[in-house]
Amino acid sequence: MMKMATLAGFGIGCGTRVVVPEIFPQSKCILRPILLQTRKTSNTFISISCVPKRTFSISASVSDDSSNSVNDRQVRVRFAPSPTGNLHVGGARTALFNYLYARSKGGKFVLRIEDTDLERSTKESEEAVLRDLSWLGLTWDEGPGVGGDYGPYRQSERNEMYKQYAEKLLQSGQVYRCFCSNEELEQMKEIAKEKQLPPVYAGKWATATDDEVQQELAKGTPFTYRFRVPKEGSLKINDLIRGEVSWNLDTLGDFVIMRSNGQPVYNFCVTIDDATMAISHVIRAEEHLPNTLRQALIYKALGFPMPYFAHVSLILAPDRSKLSKRHGATSVGQYREMGYLPQSIVNYLALLGWSDGTNDEFFTLEQLVEKFTINRVNKSGAIFDATKLRWMNGLHLKALPMEDIIKTVGDQWKSSGILKESEGLFIEDAYKLLEGGIDVITDAEKLLSDLLSYPFHDTLSSSEGREMLEDGLIVVAESLLSAYDNGELFSALEEGKPGWQKWVKAFGKSLKRKGKSLFMPLRVLLTGKLHGPDMGESIVLIHRAATNDIVTPQIEFVTLEQRLKLLREVDWESFRKVEEPATVASH
């Protein structure tokens, strides 16, 4: 009598003839061109009939995932970082795509900490990852600090569960004890390499007798748990991003699921965690694609329903290599410290491999949730462009309410040690003067420092500065000092920009200069620079910085009055001699 069976998580094409190894009951099966049974809780199925042969075929098939309901199963996704370092921008994008998918489907976003690498995992790294995710606004529904019905949410706290499932597989014969030493395993690899074969396990313990196993146990020989892999057959999945992907099982070999020290290996932990946490969609980096084969076999062996898989492309550097530290900042924490806004990081990462089908590039997190679909994620690698990220940050910065920007900039100026205060009229006017050059908050720090600096010596020593000497700079300097001595200049500056404009117009008339021939020498003499923001507003701010006593001592701010006094001491002739240093001090 023919037996028909269904195993949640797999489907084999109709009419395909398969023979199932030890992990299935030893009975004959023929596939029928109809589906006898499906699990509504799964997006995949398997229908098999048994014949005594050692071949195997799995087809993990998926349906269109465009509806809000996935086979009546709640969408549950997870982000599972290892706390062995900072949160990489690639990991942050994976977390973002999971978050967006869950929110767009009304599902749950689960955070799980994969800390089974005891040597490298640290509490500090875990805290940094949680902090970065929170800063980005990617709040999780279940996980550390939140709890949930499927905890614990750290792998290090789930060891007993892994051991229970490993024992279950051992008892069913789908896993066996392997007593091979490291030397024996290395020898197998060398032999396979010489024969140009895949490095699959070729030891005797897959077929060892109970007596042989008991003898080694009695001697206390260390052992691992190996999963029994069919010798023939294939696995095929329909990845939601990459389409159909398949593997031949003969390239795998029996693999370890528990180490000799009792610690479970990555692929076993992940499968048990995803299954017992009812994860419906596994959205992860493409570097995990090869792991799917081992994980699928474990799903099937334990009768767990298979999730959807979606493997996201890698983030690449401009040279199309994998993005790494040698290309500059790569972690979320680094960009936070550099003054980037979380909303700009989120916006930019979303566009690395996804678009809404339009030319729009500016999105808030809420808009991304509304527009995100997994079928618009590109399977090609995305280039990380730091220049575009900076530009995008500028857009988000300028989209903030003015009072929020000024407060943020003011806080930056005070925390960086430039100013004594973080708010007030000086802060507001300084931001409005400098805002055109601010794409990242830390830009404001450099711009204000530059405004308050007085590199007169360096400027006049340059070729462009020496040209100004030939254009009557000394005459303008003498007249400027006279205006300072008689009080006209500072009296005008007390009236702000209107007073400056009135004074400079009269000053130009007295020298019979206007336009560039008037403003360029004045800029060099008063700011020490050839270029910069609006000169009138700059001079007024420099004057107010001194009268308000708002600048901290450590930046060595040269006040307007000090600048004018320094001009009296300049040996102008020394600047005409390229080979000789000028006598004025550098500030």
Side-chain angles (χ1 to χ4, degrees), residues 199-488:
V200 299
Y201 176 72
K204 72 173 187 178
W205 295 103
T207 56
T209 65
D210 286 343
D211 287 343
E212 290 173 316
V213 170
Q214 291 303 320
Q215 287 176 15
E216 296 300 322
L217 289 175
K219 290 189 292 184
T221 306
F223 61 88
T224 60
Y225 281 11
R226 281 190 182 273
F227 189 93
R228 204 181 295 275
V229 177
K231 302 305 179 187
E232 298 179 22
S234 63
L235 168 74
K236 179 176 70 177
I237 67 167
N238 286 319
D239 190 280
L240 294 177
I241 294 173
R242 319 192 79 77
E244 184 177 298
V245 184
S246 62
W247 300 267
N248 290 326
L249 297 181
D250 59 6
T251 63
L252 180 57
D254 297 353
F255 57 90
V256 174
I257 66 166
M258 294 286 283
R259 300 182 181 89
S260 58
N261 63 0
Q263 288 296 314
V265 302
Y266 170 79
N267 282 302
F268 187 60
C269 294
V270 168
T271 306
I272 300 302
D273 290 342
D274 285 343
T276 57
M277 290 182 179
I279 299 301
S280 64
H281 294 73
V282 174
I283 304 171
R284 58 188 180 185
E286 67 173 324
E287 58 193 0
H288 289 288
L289 186 59
N291 294 327
T292 309
L293 175 54
R294 291 175 173 82
Q295 293 166 15
L297 292 170
I298 297 170
Y299 273 112
K300 176 195 61 58
L302 290 169
F304 289 135
M306 277 260 284
Y308 289 100
F309 287 100
H311 289 89
V312 183
S313 63
L314 296 176
I315 296 179
L316 305 176
D319 61 1
R320 302 200 69 82
S321 63
K322 186 177 178 181
L323 188 67
S324 65
K325 292 179 180 178
R326 67 186 176 89
H327 298 110
T330 58
S331 74
V332 171
Q334 285 176 295
Y335 282 102
R336 184 180 66 249
E337 291 170 3
M338 290 163 61
Y340 283 79
L341 298 172
Q343 52 267 48
S344 69
I345 301 290
V346 164
N347 190 166
Y348 183 67
L349 290 180
L351 298 179
L352 291 180
W354 172 88
S355 77
D356 69 341
T358 71
N359 292 324
D360 294 341
E361 292 189 304
F362 185 93
F363 298 101
T364 64
L365 184 57
E366 292 74 19
Q367 290 168 333
L368 288 170
V369 168
E370 181 183 343
K371 294 177 178 292
F372 185 83
T373 56
I374 199 72
N375 61 354
R376 291 209 61 86
V377 175
N378 198 313
K379 65 181 179 181
S380 301
I383 303 295
F384 189 91
D385 185 344
T387 302
K388 185 169 184 178
L389 172 57
R390 165 176 277 274
W391 167 78
M392 183 161 287
N393 194 82
L395 294 183
H396 279 275
L397 186 63
K398 291 171 178 62
L400 293 173
M402 181 61 73
E403 58 270 22
D404 291 350
I405 305 177
I406 292 174
K407 183 182 185 306
T408 303
V409 170
D411 289 342
Q412 180 69 28
W413 283 336
K414 184 178 180 182
S415 65
S416 62
I418 299 175
L419 300 182
K420 299 175 182 178
E421 305 293 337
S422 61
E423 55 186 25
L425 189 58
F426 180 88
I427 308 293
E428 295 175 17
D429 290 343
Y431 171 73
K432 291 172 184 176
L433 174 64
L434 303 172
E435 64 176 320
I438 302 175
D439 286 327
V440 179
I441 290 298
T442 47
D443 290 343
E445 182 181 335
K446 182 179 185 302
L447 289 170
L448 185 58
S449 294
D450 287 347
L451 179 71
L452 298 175
S453 68
Y454 189 59
F456 180 77
H457 175 275
D458 294 338
T459 299
L460 221 57
S461 297
S462 67
S463 58
E464 195 174 356
R466 287 193 299 272
E467 287 177 9
M468 295 195 65
L469 279 172
E470 305 302 325
D471 192 30
L473 180 65
I474 299 173
V475 174
V476 177
E478 290 172 349
S479 296
L480 180 62
L481 288 170
S482 295
Y484 166 64
D485 289 338
N486 63 29
E488 288 179 6

Side-chain angles (χ1 to χ4, degrees), residues 2 43 61 75 145-146 187 262 301 369 453 462 481 497 499 501 546 569:
M2 182 171 58
N43 57 302
S61 53
V75 168
V146 176
Q187 187 177 12
V369 168
S453 68
S462 67
L481 288 170
K497 189 175 181 181
Q501 290 173 329
E569 304 168 6

Side-chain angles (χ1 to χ4, degrees), residues 136-209:
L136 291 172
L138 307 183
T139 55
W140 50 97
D141 302 299
E142 299 175 26
V146 176
D149 296 334
Y150 295 84
Y153 293 92
R154 292 182 181 86
Q155 284 186 342
S156 58
E157 300 171 5
R158 298 169 65 85
N159 275 331
E160 284 306 312
M161 180 186 296
Y162 304 139
K163 291 176 182 177
Q164 289 172 13
Y165 280 105
E167 287 300 322
K168 182 178 180 180
L169 292 173
L170 180 66
Q171 294 303 317
S172 67
Q174 292 156 336
V175 158
Y176 60 89
R177 295 184 180 91
C178 172
F179 296 91
C180 286
S181 66
N182 290 333
E183 291 75 16
E184 289 175 302
L185 295 174
E186 285 299 321
Q187 187 177 12
M188 290 178 205
K189 288 181 182 179
E190 288 300 321
I191 293 172
K193 186 177 180 180
E194 289 174 6
K195 295 181 179 180
Q196 296 184 331
L197 296 172
V200 299
Y201 176 72
K204 72 173 187 178
W205 295 103
T207 56
T209 65

Side-chain angles (χ1 to χ4, degrees), residues 410-586:
D411 289 342
Q412 180 69 28
W413 283 336
K414 184 178 180 182
S415 65
S416 62
I418 299 175
L419 300 182
K420 299 175 182 178
E421 305 293 337
S422 61
E423 55 186 25
L425 189 58
F426 180 88
I427 308 293
E428 295 175 17
D429 290 343
Y431 171 73
K432 291 172 184 176
L433 174 64
L434 303 172
E435 64 176 320
I438 302 175
D439 286 327
V440 179
I441 290 298
T442 47
D443 290 343
E445 182 181 335
K446 182 179 185 302
L447 289 170
L448 185 58
S449 294
D450 287 347
L451 179 71
L452 298 175
S453 68
Y454 189 59
F456 180 77
H457 175 275
D458 294 338
T459 299
L460 221 57
S461 297
S462 67
S463 58
E464 195 174 356
R466 287 193 299 272
E467 287 177 9
M468 295 195 65
L469 279 172
E470 305 302 325
D471 192 30
L473 180 65
I474 299 173
V475 174
V476 177
E478 290 172 349
S479 296
L480 180 62
L481 288 170
S482 295
Y484 166 64
D485 289 338
N486 63 29
E488 288 179 6
L489 177 59
F490 277 30
S491 178
L493 291 175
E494 288 298 326
E495 298 176 21
K497 189 175 181 181
W500 162 265
Q501 290 173 329
K502 182 179 178 181
W503 175 83
V504 81
K505 184 177 181 181
F507 184 73
K509 280 185 178 181
S510 69
L511 293 174
K512 296 181 180 179
R513 286 175 175 254
K514 61 181 180 179
K516 185 178 180 180
S517 67
L518 172 64
F519 296 118
M520 281 296 287
L522 277 176
R523 180 183 289 278
V524 170
L525 293 168
L526 293 173
T527 72
K529 309 173 190 73
L530 290 162
H531 310 286
D534 182 89
M535 184 176 63
E537 293 181 12
S538 297
I539 302 303
V540 170
L541 268 176
I542 291 169
H543 176 64
R544 287 170 54 195
T547 57
N548 294 351
D549 190 28
I550 196 170
V551 182
T552 60
Q554 56 261 41
I555 72 161
E556 299 181 356
F557 168 50
V558 182
T559 67
L560 203 55
E561 188 169 11
Q562 289 170 332
R563 298 177 189 198
L564 290 161
K565 290 179 179 178
L566 285 169
L567 290 177
R568 291 191 191 280
E569 304 168 6
V570 174
D571 179 0
W572 299 103
E573 287 302 316
S574 66
F575 285 106
R576 289 194 173 98
K577 301 174 183 178
V578 179
E579 70 281 2
E580 294 180 12
T583 58
V584 69
S586 177

